[in-house]
Amino acid sequence: MLALYLRDLKLGVRAGGGALTGVIFFLAVIATIPFGVGPDLNLLARIGPAILWIGALLASLLGLDRLFQAEREDGSLDLLVLGGDRHMLTLTVFVKCLAHWTVSVLPLVAAAPLLGLFMNMNPTGIGATALTLLVGTPAITFIGAAGAAVAVALPRGGLLISVLVLPITIPVLIFGVSASYGAVNDPDPFFQPFLILAALTLFLAVIGPVAAALALRHNGD
Amino acid sequence: MRLIAENLSGERGGEPVFEDIGFSVEDGESLVVTGPNGSGKSTLLRVVAGFLPAAAGGVRIAEGKEAFPSVASACHYLGHQNAMKTALTVTENLAFWQRFCGEGRLGIGEALDAVGLGGIGHLPFGYLSTGQRRRAAIAKLLVSHRPVWLLDEPTAGLDKASEHRFTDLMSAHCAAGGIVIAATHQPLGLERAKTLEMGRSS
């Protein structure tokens, strides 16, 4: 399983891996918001966490369609499914999700503090948002894997995956953003929404790979 | 060990492709599946491997040792695609599949030598020619041990010398008690090969 993780990391980093597209998209979205909203610094600071979260959510959905499609095109998916008899296809999917998250989504979390400065957020807000992104984005990847597995046979499945997955990611967004606000605005709680966010991630870390493995097994052609 | 298929029927998109096929292959034997295009050779192999559900009947392993309780765990599958990543080197590709599949047999270098690709393991897989890619994919069969080889047009793109070498590899695999099931248009030159001709009835 470690071999699979390392292979996917290598593939993501090498040419054609597309690991950076998400970060560039994220950067483009956040950099244009201040121009659209105007130079109202207080307003920017107020909507900052929400904008960062929405940008990260959309950016992390970007590369998901290649998660299984690339494997299917070169025939590796068959062998991964065949190997699933030895070490559970669910686990294989889980490891692929982890590798995808490390390569494509972790850079978003790393870029979030810098982009938070664009939004005139204070250090506490930036830290809280980065922390909630770190905890919450794996959930998006895990449930996105289920969408990617369903759409694996479709040549342009990217948009379909986003449409399938977005409704399920809404709770993640809600609790992520409310925890970020909770850290800045005093009466609002930080820990309750943060813990629910962590629970969502753990929950989807199980549901997502199981659903994806089921879909991969049954789409055989 | 014996691989047995009984009353096997397969379908694609609801259309039956073949019906009532049965065979039994024992240790050291091979089965060559022939037939015109569209007669269901690939579908048969995919049903045997378990990628497609059988419309009727089933495939099972009899007298399998403890290491290979199910059909899927006993099979190597070599399909039309080579299942190698173009961005990784040949060695990296093979090392990954060896670690992923387990049951390591030959080393990477030995396997590459066996298919006549010694000394190019450091090249990215994407730089290889069609025949070389095929041979690298064949090397994948050698790096980890599986008693059953399911081969779908294994010699596509190979030159004469490589075909002979591949025949020798298959013979050696059978001689060591392995099973080969190959769908092909070309004679593979295997001894003790049973044949199954598809597309007769329809």
Side-chain angles (χ1 to χ4, degrees):
Chain A
M1 280 296 122
L2 183 66
L4 180 64
Y5 182 74
L6 293 177
R7 180 191 76 147
D8 276 19
L9 282 197
K10 269 188 212 156
L11 282 175
V13 176
R14 282 195 194 164
L20 280 179
T21 40
V23 185
I24 293 168
F25 177 78
F26 191 33
L27 184 74
V29 169
I30 304 300
T32 48
I33 294 284
F35 294 106
V37 172
D40 183 345
L41 288 178
N42 288 331
L43 178 63
L44 277 181
R46 209 163 63 240
I47 62 173
I51 297 291
L52 278 186
W53 252 95
I54 293 170
L57 172 65
L58 295 179
S60 58
L61 289 177
L62 259 188
L64 272 176
D65 56 326
R66 298 300 294 164
L67 187 58
F68 299 116
Q69 218 171 47
E71 304 279 352
R72 182 174 181 274
E73 278 165 10
D74 63 16
S76 303
L77 188 61
D78 285 339
L79 300 194
L80 294 179
V81 172
L82 196 64
D85 211 67
R86 277 164 192 262
H87 27 229
M88 268 172 79
L89 190 54
T90 310
L91 194 63
T92 307
V93 172
F94 181 76
V95 170
K96 275 191 74 64
C97 291
L98 277 187
H100 174 82
W101 182 80
T102 315
V103 173
S104 316
V105 185
L106 198 56
L108 301 181
V109 179
L114 173 72
L115 298 176
L117 289 178
F118 288 13
M119 303 300 291
N120 188 36
M121 290 160 66
N122 62 16
T124 326
I126 289 176
T129 308
L131 186 64
T132 52
L133 281 175
L134 182 69
V135 172
T137 44
I140 301 168
T141 305
F142 286 129
I143 200 62
V150 169
V152 67
L154 302 174
R156 316 251 344 136
L159 187 65
L160 178 68
I161 296 172
S162 306
V163 171
L164 276 178
V165 165
L166 262 182
I168 314 175
T169 57
I170 294 297
V172 180
L173 179 70
I174 290 173
F175 287 107
V177 171
S178 55
S180 311
Y181 278 123
V184 191
N185 303 349
D186 219 6
D188 298 348
F190 170 74
F191 268 106
Q192 282 95 327
F194 183 74
L195 289 179
I196 292 180
L197 183 68
L200 274 174
T201 298
L202 293 176
F203 183 65
L204 292 179
V206 177
I207 298 289
V210 168
L214 211 61
L216 287 178
R217 258 193 204 292
H218 288 273
N219 89 334
D221 55 344
Chain B
M1 168 184 289
R2 211 163 36 184
L3 183 76
I4 303 165
E6 285 161 333
N7 309 325
L8 205 59
S9 302
E11 55 179 32
R12 278 239 157 137
E15 289 280 314
V17 184
F18 58 84
E19 271 168 345
D20 261 347
I21 285 192
F23 56 81
S24 152
V25 199
E26 278 185 46
D27 283 344
E29 285 185 331
S30 53
L31 177 74
V32 178
V33 184
T34 57
N37 295 136
S39 57
K41 302 188 291 295
S42 298
T43 309
L44 175 67
L45 286 188
R46 293 187 72 80
V47 169
V48 171
F51 300 135
L52 288 173
V59 187
R60 63 194 166 87
I61 291 259
E63 299 149 39
K65 290 143 211 143
E66 274 174 26
F68 306 107
S70 67
V71 178
S73 65
C75 286
H76 259 315
Y77 176 80
L78 178 66
H80 292 275
Q81 283 117 354
N82 294 321
M84 307 280 259
K85 296 288 175 193
T86 49
L88 301 180
T89 67
V90 178
T91 307
E92 282 172 333
N93 268 306
L94 289 175
F96 162 69
W97 285 118
Q98 184 170 41
R99 284 182 66 192
F100 184 80
C101 297
E103 308 257 350
R105 205 161 66 95
L106 290 187
I108 311 289
E110 288 171 86
L112 283 176
D113 283 337
V115 295
L117 289 181
I120 68 155
H122 62 285
L123 287 179
F125 184 71
Y127 287 11
L128 305 189
S129 75
T130 310
Q132 285 175 321
R133 287 180 189 209
R134 201 62 184 160
R135 275 145 70 190
I138 288 167
K140 203 171 62 206
L141 303 173
L142 304 173
V143 292
S144 37
H145 174 66
R146 293 284 189 279
V148 182
W149 288 5
L150 300 175
L151 312 171
D152 198 351
E153 311 244 358
T155 53
L158 293 185
D159 57 27
K160 274 276 174 282
S162 307
E163 273 180 33
H164 284 306
R165 204 183 281 123
F166 183 49
T167 303
D168 292 343
L169 288 174
M170 284 192 292
S171 305
H173 177 66
C174 288
I179 293 174
V180 171
I181 298 181
T184 182
H185 293 291
Q186 281 137 359
L188 291 175
L190 286 170
E191 292 164 34
R192 283 188 74 196
K194 297 179 177 179
T195 53
L196 174 68
E197 207 173 325
M198 312 268 302
R200 270 284 180 79
S201 52
S202 57

